[in-house]
Amino acid sequence: MKAFAVDLGGTHITVAVVEDRQIVASQTIGQPPAAGLRPLLPLLAATLRDLSNCSTRGITDVAGIALGFCGIVDSRAGRVQSTNGKYPDAAEIDFHSWSRENFDLPLRLENDARMALMGEHYAGAAEGFQDVAMVTLGTGIGSAVMIEGKLLQGKHGQAGSLGGHVPVVLQGRACTCGGEGCAESEASGWALPRLCQSWANFPQSELAGQEINFANLFRCAASGDPIAKAIQQHCMDVWVATGVALVHAYDPELLVFGGGVMRSAEVILPYLQAHIPGRVWTPWGKVQIRSARPGNESALLGAIPMLSTSPSDVRTNVR
Ligand SMILES: [Zn+2]
């Protein structure tokens, strides 16, 4: 099967042509404008057309468009429910009509972390597993859960999606969701600059003179900067707490961590593997902890199972 995949992330949009277990071609459309998503739709359509021209058969053998969105999505209704500040107009956009008018193709919409979990289940770390929780560490912290092979949706389409908004610090930092001390407001891409600026003696850190992002934080920590090391430790402890919460809430046999922050997986993964299993009550055995495919590959590959199955059900064999 061949499909168009669109990953609408917090700081990037990636479009791709995927075929079975391969990303045939992909392109990233830079920084999304604050004005919203609607002004970007013509560029999105043009980029998909350009990519499809890589194939001699154009879009004639494309099964549909799978779109992952960084907010609360009701995939059964096929609409964005809430955007938490990113792409504020998304809930008003009829993506299905856009797809029909531009390509005459069916479209499936899903939360981006769920799309990533579908990709990992189809062709990644979760292949062969039926009970999985996934955490995506990026601009925000996303999560998705599969139980007995079925992607969790819940009454309002948000079950398993809000692992990044589990409170992990009492009286912690204010979050965009209305809560405080959420994993996302303590250790996500958008929260990191604020975290650093409020850290004791931060101006003495090597990181203070640089753009504050996780790549630079991990680099400064690796070079021995004690303040960067302490901030890195705080963030990894937050991610451990998130993993513990998901294990206790959903009883997975496997936790998958993905997203752009996992570019530092060589530091993060061993820490998670060392600290999560000892803090969870799993009398049946030891929960496995793995890292996802690099970058947003998992979300893009999720396009194939999304378009192969009915919404919320990935049990069908799509190989
Ligand atoms: Zn929150």
Side-chain angles (χ1 to χ4, degrees):
M1 178 193 272
K2 191 190 274 187
F4 284 147
V6 181
D7 180 21
L8 283 168
T11 53
H12 70 277
I13 299 175
T14 304
V15 295
V17 177
V18 293
E19 184 162 16
D20 300 329
R21 297 158 68 90
Q22 284 201 320
I23 297 162
V24 177
S26 71
Q27 193 171 326
T28 295
I29 303 172
Q31 193 86 10
L37 185 55
R38 203 181 290 277
L40 267 182
L41 290 178
L43 177 60
L44 192 55
T47 309
L48 284 170
R49 275 192 208 96
D50 283 350
L51 286 178
S52 67
N53 289 336
C54 298
S55 159
T56 50
R57 293 164 74 185
I59 68 163
T60 54
D61 58 346
V62 174
I65 300 176
L67 197 156
F69 185 83
C70 57
I72 297 176
V73 170
D74 187 339
S75 59
R76 292 166 297 201
R79 55 183 290 269
V80 171
Q81 286 194 315
S82 179
T83 68
N84 199 14
K86 299 165 215 157
Y87 310 112
D89 56 348
E92 313 301 322
I93 294 175
D94 181 348
F95 292 100
H96 300 276
S97 296
W98 172 80
S99 175
R100 285 282 176 209
E101 286 161 13
N102 282 276
F103 301 100
D104 195 26
L105 287 173
L107 179 140
R108 286 276 167 77
L109 187 64
E110 190 48 279
N111 164 269
D112 56 354
R114 284 206 194 111
M115 187 172 177
L117 176 50
M118 292 176 92
E120 286 298 314
H121 183 247
Y122 172 57
E127 213 178 333
F129 289 81
Q130 302 299 307
D131 296 273
V132 186
M134 180 161 180
V135 181
T136 54
L137 304 172
T139 312
I141 297 181
S143 69
V145 175
M146 177 184 285
I147 293 180
E148 295 174 351
K150 189 171 181 182
L151 208 56
L152 208 57
Q153 294 284 349
K155 182 173 175 65
H156 307 102
Q158 61 188 78
S161 294
L162 298 180
H165 298 278
V166 169
V168 294
V169 178
L170 286 178
Q171 297 166 343
R173 295 169 176 83
C175 188
T176 54
C177 71
E180 58 184 30
C182 296
E184 184 167 308
S185 63
E186 294 291 335
S188 70
W190 69 257
L192 184 62
R194 186 181 65 174
L195 174 70
C196 291
Q197 300 297 351
S198 65
W199 202 270
N201 301 322
F202 180 68
Q204 295 168 23
S205 168
E206 191 189 325
L207 184 59
Q210 305 173 16
E211 185 185 350
I212 298 175
N213 55 41
F214 279 110
N216 285 340
L217 172 69
F218 277 75
R219 201 180 39 73
C220 292
S223 72
D225 181 325
I227 295 168
K229 281 170 81 169
I231 296 171
Q232 174 185 287
Q233 176 83 34
H234 169 87
C235 292
M236 293 199 297
D237 285 337
V238 165
W239 303 330
V240 165
T242 306
V244 168
L246 290 173
V247 170
H248 285 161
Y250 298 111
D251 188 21
E253 55 191 331
L254 170 68
L255 278 175
V256 180
F257 284 80
V261 178
M262 287 300 282
R263 288 191 189 96
S264 301
E266 76 284 357
V267 176
I268 300 169
L269 189 64
Y271 193 85
L272 300 173
Q273 288 171 331
H275 291 88
I276 292 176
R279 297 186 196 182
V280 291
W281 193 4
T282 54
W284 50 269
K286 190 173 171 182
V287 64
Q288 291 195 49
I289 301 162
R290 297 181 176 182
S291 62
R293 281 171 164 267
N296 58 0
E297 276 186 21
S298 21
L300 298 176
L301 287 170
I304 300 293
M306 270 173 73
L307 288 159
S308 305
T309 58
S310 61
S312 83
D313 192 336
V314 294
R315 282 173 296 185
T316 309
N317 187 345
V318 294
R319 295 192 186 107

